[in-house]
Amino acid sequence: MMVYVIKVGGNVIDNPVLLEQFLADFAKVQGKKILIHGGGKIATRIGDKLGITANYVDGRRITDAATIDVVTMVYGGLVNKQIVAKLQAVGCNAIGLTGADANSIPASKRPVKEIDYGFVGDVVAEELNISSVKLLLDAGLTPVFSPLTHDGKGQILNTNADTIASSLAIALSGSYAVRLIYCFEKKGVLRNAADDDSVINLINRDIYQTLLAEGVLTDGILPKLQNAFNAIESGVKEVLIGHADDVRKNTTDAVAGTLIC
């Protein structure tokens, strides 16, 4: 039995029109499915209103004590519950979760090295409580995970949504055939970042190394590819990177975007 683990990016979350269309399409995906959503810029906007300025280093959010409160409220509350409500409106019986719910996704606080990222979590893969996720799937529910985990000691942690998606897909691959799909605002991995039609349809390890050497891959796509290869090498059947508009097509054999193998 196939399970679709689908991650939707923050730029789609930030665009109400794209998000509405994506959720309508996602609701029509047949079979067992899980949605993981990014945070987008909503936490930054609300933080600004509260006088909490976002701080980034190399494009990564520093999650201090004030910021973890904001992202917990926004990611686990506002964004997650709006998505769940919109899915209910289009006939998808979704349930909103963080990694703390049912102890689904334990994580460890990232150790301080050159940079202190604050309350940022790295998933502890061997401790994922996948049995609770399977119970929800088997009950006909669609889990919707926000990008939040917990450390088992009462602390919520801000965690990369791509990594959460990959970790869940790997954990589920012991029980199901899993297709992991990363949906964002591009048609796939692009050979030319300025040309939306320059999609690379297939990437394996050798092609990946060649693209790296040629400097083709941009910083934004590298974490997705690293998570994709980690998933493939850990038992996930298929990984696709493609446009949010193609989510239904990418749950069929007529796939669009970039296939990782």
Side-chain angles (χ1 to χ4, degrees), residues 106-111 120-125 149 157-159 163:
S108 59
K109 185 174 179 290
R110 185 168 298 167
V120 167
D122 295 316
V123 175
V124 182
T149 58
L157 298 168
N158 186 12
T159 300
T163 304

Side-chain angles (χ1 to χ4, degrees), residues 32-244:
K32 298 180 188 296
K33 57 196 175 186
I34 297 173
L35 181 63
I36 301 95
H37 62 82
K41 298 186 175 84
I42 301 169
T44 299
R45 292 199 296 269
I46 290 178
D48 287 342
K49 292 178 182 179
L50 297 172
I52 300 167
T53 303
N55 182 18
Y56 290 87
V57 175
D58 296 331
R60 297 182 178 182
R61 185 191 291 270
I62 302 298
T63 308
D64 59 17
T67 303
I68 192 63
D69 287 348
V70 172
V71 299
T72 300
M73 289 187 290
V74 175
Y75 299 167
L78 180 65
V79 174
N80 187 265
K81 298 314 172 190
Q82 285 183 338
I83 287 173
V84 169
K86 290 178 187 298
L87 285 173
Q88 297 292 356
V90 289
C92 177
N93 194 8
I95 180 168
L97 302 164
T98 71
D101 294 296
N103 191 30
S104 302
I105 313 173
S108 59
K109 185 174 179 290
R110 185 168 298 167
V112 177
K113 296 181 180 176
E114 293 85 3
I115 301 167
D116 183 357
Y117 286 102
F119 294 102
V120 167
D122 295 316
V123 175
V124 182
E126 60 273 16
E127 294 182 12
L128 255 71
N129 183 10
I130 209 65
S131 60
S132 60
V133 179
K134 289 167 64 178
L135 281 173
L136 294 172
L137 290 171
D138 291 342
L141 295 168
T142 296
V144 178
F145 280 97
S146 61
L148 299 168
T149 58
H150 77 123
D151 68 354
K153 302 171 186 175
Q155 180 63 56
I156 291 285
L157 298 168
N158 186 12
T159 300
N160 181 275
D162 286 350
T163 304
I164 288 176
S166 175
S167 299
L168 285 170
I170 291 167
L172 286 163
S173 67
S175 304
Y176 308 96
V178 178
R179 182 179 289 182
L180 171 60
I181 305 171
Y182 290 111
C183 297
F184 66 149
E185 72 283 0
K186 301 290 185 182
K187 293 181 180 179
V189 180
L190 304 179
R191 182 168 290 280
N192 177 358
D195 180 3
D196 283 347
D197 292 320
S198 63
V199 177
I200 304 167
N201 296 116
L202 178 72
I203 298 179
N204 58 26
R205 272 289 184 188
D206 290 340
I207 295 170
Y208 175 62
Q209 293 301 328
T210 301
L211 293 171
L212 279 177
E214 293 173 352
V216 168
L217 302 173
T218 60
D219 290 344
I221 203 68
L222 286 174
K224 283 184 173 58
L225 286 170
Q226 289 159 359
N227 279 307
F229 279 116
N230 182 46
I232 288 289
E233 291 163 3
S234 301
V236 173
K237 185 178 180 183
E238 299 161 335
V239 182
L240 281 158
I241 299 174
H243 200 287

